[in-house]
Amino acid sequence: MLANRISYWMNVTGPSFCIDSSCSGSVVALKLAQDAILSGQFQQNSDGKTKCYDTNADGQSLSESVSVIYLQKYKDARRVYAQLCHVETGYSKGLDEEFMVNFGHYRDPEKISKFLSSFYDDAAHPDTDKAELQAFEEVFCKERTNPLLVGSVTSNMGFTKSVSGLNGIIKIIHGYQTGVLAANLNCDNPRQDVAAIRDGRIKIVLSKYVSGLPYLVTISSRQESGVERVLNNIKNNNLDMEELALLREVYKMRTSNHLARGFGIFASDINNKTETLCEKVGSYDEIKRPLWFVYSGMGSQWTGMGVQLMRIPIFAAAILRCDKVLKPKGIDIVEIITSNDEKTFDNILNAFVGITAIQIALTDVLLAVGLAPDKMIGLVSSQLPFIKGSMAAVGLGYKEISKLCPPEIAVACHNGPDSSTLSGPAEIIQKFVQELTAQGIFAKEVKCANIAYHSQYIAKAGPVFLKMGQAIVKTPKLRSKRWLSTSVPVEKLKQNDAMYSSAEYHTNNLLNSVLFEEASRMIASGAVLVEIAPH
């Protein structure tokens, strides 16, 4: 404290501290002063602004910070801001002369790259800025299509020395929870001496970047007015993460005689005001309704369908598990579900693996919040083209549309009493769609990559598909009783081929119509249906 008071009184900058080294104290002080200059500790900027990643960066502004992170076991946590998976540092050596010269403020980009690569495999000095950006470029941007957003907490609060690491972690956690990344202040001209900045793979965040994360809140009460009161309180105030955590804890268990229930999905806008994305309140009896998961089929894919979902840790973890399986096959599932390229799903393989991966990950999310299905039902999909085919969705049930279809067209999917999917040669499908539309009947072609699924036109694929399936599914497993088949007629469900998840079962899926309407008649009245799809 005495040294700081003296430096303050004399209006001098730089490190100030007391040294006790007997008769050599003055020489030790001289040596430490030299080391501080060589390591850049004296390189204060002239205007008090830390210009991280700017062409005109001219040093730092020192500041102080007290930062606290509360750690506890996941199972005991009432509120999880982030899950700590792995911690490692490559700069924990003592402050000797060699360390200060090599690691003071300058970082060797090759060493940072090696450290970052090793870390992820296991789990505003001008030169410093460039070295950091070069390391980011090497580790995160080799094949990147969407820009890597880079900001700097130092530009907002100054260089806090030993506390900088925690401040960076807190910034990331705050950004993840709120969907807002703080702007990189004092960066009027981002430096252009890093290739990834010039070609757009790295983007310096120059203004507040907002990408709101929605929050689901479920409430119960004896009366609807009680539910409405809680939801209105959320809507009329800024979102409070602790309040939402408390509400989840209170209402996660069923409360007797709480017949009024409701939910809301809320997010924060750019001004941090609460937006209501969806809300519903109603009265319900206490009968436990069966829960059905309904899985979509071909046609539900869309460009960038996984971008926002990847912000959900459970979802992202499931996608990465899929990625480990698909990467050796040359398939980048993360790129498929996050790419903004409109031609991504022109490749039918991308559509299949994309939809399936999304459904696997969404199922994990639902299971994590306590929604386990009593039954499952879905549309099925397979591939292998033999003609230039097409498919179309029409607003008539199987019984009606089957009487109108030309002989070349098959009813591929019996979706419901007023919905079917047709399959056949492209030209004939297109002509029939025009005829139905002219009669005032809903009809629209479905994106299917020119493959006429579930029709006679892919019959030749059967033997090939069966052989490939038998090589993969060598020991068929008994299908779960919760799995309701949509490709086997009800009267044949107890036959051996229908009881097992075998190559024969999935070959039958490929070649025959999807009997969704017939299977859905087995859904109990009052059941709750959750569609699991990229919509």
Side-chain angles (χ1 to χ4, degrees):
M1 180 62 73
L2 178 61
N4 295 144
R5 288 182 179 274
I6 294 173
S7 62
Y8 177 78
W9 176 260
M10 298 180 67
N11 195 29
V12 294
T13 59
S16 57
F17 47 87
C18 295
I19 298 172
D20 184 3
S21 186
S22 189
C23 59
S24 63
S26 58
V27 179
V28 172
L30 181 62
K31 173 60 176 172
L32 291 175
Q34 181 192 37
D35 291 343
I37 292 175
L38 292 175
S39 66
Q41 292 187 52
F42 282 170
Q43 189 164 349
Q44 291 280 98
N45 52 55
S46 58
D47 56 4
K49 297 180 179 179
T50 304
K51 309 176 185 67
C52 296
Y53 309 125
D54 189 82
T55 303
N56 300 315
D58 58 354
Q60 63 201 0
S61 293
L62 295 177
S63 65
E64 295 180 342
S65 171
V66 177
S67 300
V68 178
I69 289 181
Y70 181 70
L71 296 179
Q72 67 177 144
K73 291 183 178 179
Y74 185 88
K75 66 181 182 64
D76 299 327
R78 294 292 181 89
R79 178 77 181 100
V80 179
Y81 286 93
Q83 188 173 354
L84 186 62
C85 299
H86 184 61
V87 180
E88 188 172 329
T89 176
Y91 302 102
S92 57
K93 300 178 181 179
L95 297 179
D96 54 33
E97 179 179 357
E98 181 181 359
F99 175 83
M100 291 302 294
V101 172
N102 294 328
F103 300 104
H105 283 335
Y106 176 73
R107 302 288 189 265
D108 186 333
E110 291 187 10
K111 291 183 178 179
I112 299 178
S113 299
K114 184 177 180 180
F115 170 74
L116 289 174
S117 298
S118 173
F119 178 87
Y120 282 96
D121 285 341
D122 297 334
H125 183 286
D127 291 337
T128 303
D129 287 350
K130 182 178 180 180
E132 288 180 349
L133 293 170
Q134 287 174 329
F136 294 160
E137 177 182 34
E138 174 67 22
V139 177
F140 301 115
C141 301
K142 283 186 175 179
E143 299 179 359
R144 196 175 190 92
T145 54
N146 298 323
L148 174 69
L149 301 178
V150 176
S152 173
V153 70
T154 302
S155 72
N156 287 263
M157 61 187 304
F159 179 49
T160 56
K161 293 189 175 180
S162 59
V163 196
S164 298
L166 278 188
N167 289 339
I169 293 173
I170 292 171
K171 179 194 74 171
I172 292 299
I173 293 175
H174 179 269
Y176 176 78
Q177 291 294 325
T178 63
V180 178
L181 292 181
N184 199 69
L185 304 183
N186 311 315
C187 185
D188 300 322
N189 300 293
R191 61 190 309 143
Q192 297 297 311
D193 55 355
V194 177
I197 291 183
R198 293 196 301 271
D199 60 28
R201 286 176 293 150
I202 289 180
K203 179 181 179 181
I204 306 300
V205 180
L206 301 180
S207 60
K208 186 165 67 173
Y209 182 85
V210 180
S211 178
L213 184 69
Y215 293 89
L216 169 66
V217 180
T218 57
I219 306 294
S220 68
S221 180
R222 293 179 182 272
Q223 298 179 336
E224 292 184 19
S225 59
V227 176
E228 292 170 349
R229 189 178 301 113
V230 176
L231 294 178
N232 287 336
N233 181 67
I234 296 173
K235 290 188 291 185
N236 295 331
N237 295 280
N238 294 339
L239 289 182
D240 184 335
M241 299 301 105
E242 301 303 328
E243 179 187 19
L244 298 185
L246 176 62
L247 292 174
R248 279 194 291 272
E249 186 67 22
V250 170
Y251 294 108
K252 71 179 182 181
M253 302 296 292
R254 179 186 294 269
T255 303
S256 180
N257 296 323
H258 272 208
L259 303 184
R261 300 171 191 173
F263 74 90
I265 300 178
F266 306 100
S268 296
D269 63 15
I270 193 170
N271 297 314
N272 206 33
K273 299 295 183 182
T274 300
E275 289 184 317
T276 303
L277 305 181
C278 184
E279 180 184 359
K280 187 174 182 180
V281 177
S283 294
Y284 304 88
D285 53 43
E286 292 194 288
I287 298 174
K288 187 179 185 302
R289 292 173 170 78
L291 177 64
W292 287 65
F293 281 1
V294 182
Y295 293 87
S296 68
M298 177 57 60
S300 58
Q301 72 275 10
W302 54 278
T303 303
M305 59 189 179
V307 173
Q308 293 297 322
L309 291 171
M310 285 295 285
R311 295 184 60 195
I312 303 173
I314 295 172
F315 182 94
I319 293 297
L320 293 179
R321 289 200 308 273
C322 294
D323 190 56
K324 287 183 178 180
V325 175
L326 296 171
K327 265 288 173 61
K329 307 294 184 183
I331 300 172
D332 188 342
I333 188 61
V334 176
E335 173 66 17
I336 289 172
I337 67 172
T338 61
S339 172
N340 57 7
D341 185 353
E342 295 291 340
K343 296 182 179 180
T344 297
F345 296 113
D346 288 350
N347 181 343
I348 195 61
L349 179 62
N350 290 347
F352 279 115
V353 296
I355 293 172
T356 303
I358 290 279
Q359 291 174 333
I360 290 172
L362 287 176
T363 300
D364 278 5
V365 172
L366 292 173
L367 293 175
V369 298
L371 295 178
D374 297 293
K375 295 286 185 178
M376 298 174 291
I377 188 173
L379 300 171
V380 293
S381 302
S382 299
Q383 63 174 320
L384 286 176
F386 288 93
I387 64 165
K388 184 178 180 181
S390 183
M391 301 183 75
V394 297
L396 293 175
Y398 168 71
K399 290 183 178 180
E400 294 178 273
I401 195 63
S402 60
K403 299 174 183 177
L404 303 176
C405 283
E408 298 88 350
I409 292 179
V411 182
C413 303
H414 306 182
N415 299 327
D418 55 2
S419 176
S420 299
T421 302
L422 308 181
S423 185
E427 292 184 1
I428 298 177
I429 286 286
Q430 291 167 3
K431 181 180 178 182
F432 190 50
V433 166
Q434 293 173 356
E435 292 175 358
L436 292 175
T437 302
Q439 298 175 38
I441 300 172
F442 171 80
K444 184 178 181 180
E445 283 194 81
V446 175
K447 291 183 179 180
C448 63
N450 297 322
I451 301 174
Y453 295 104
H454 308 294
S455 70
Q456 65 269 30
Y457 300 103
I458 57 171
K460 292 181 180 179
V464 178
F465 191 83
L466 178 61
K467 183 178 180 180
M468 295 173 65
Q470 289 172 336
I472 297 172
V473 186
K474 297 180 180 179
T475 306
K477 293 183 178 181
L478 192 66
R479 291 197 304 110
S480 166
K481 293 182 179 179
R482 294 186 296 176
W483 177 356
L484 187 62
S485 175
T486 57
S487 59
V488 179
V490 175
E491 62 272 14
K492 296 182 179 181
L493 284 175
K494 293 186 178 181
Q495 293 182 3
N496 192 61
D497 286 351
M499 295 177 65
Y500 287 84
S501 179
S502 61
E504 290 76 12
Y505 177 86
H506 293 288
T507 301
N508 181 69
N509 286 349
L510 168 67
L511 301 178
N512 294 288
S513 298
V514 179
L515 308 176
F516 188 85
E517 179 184 2
E518 291 81 352
S520 64
R521 293 176 187 146
M522 300 178 66
I523 300 176
S525 176
V528 177
L529 274 64
V530 177
E531 183 180 13
I532 300 178
H535 295 304

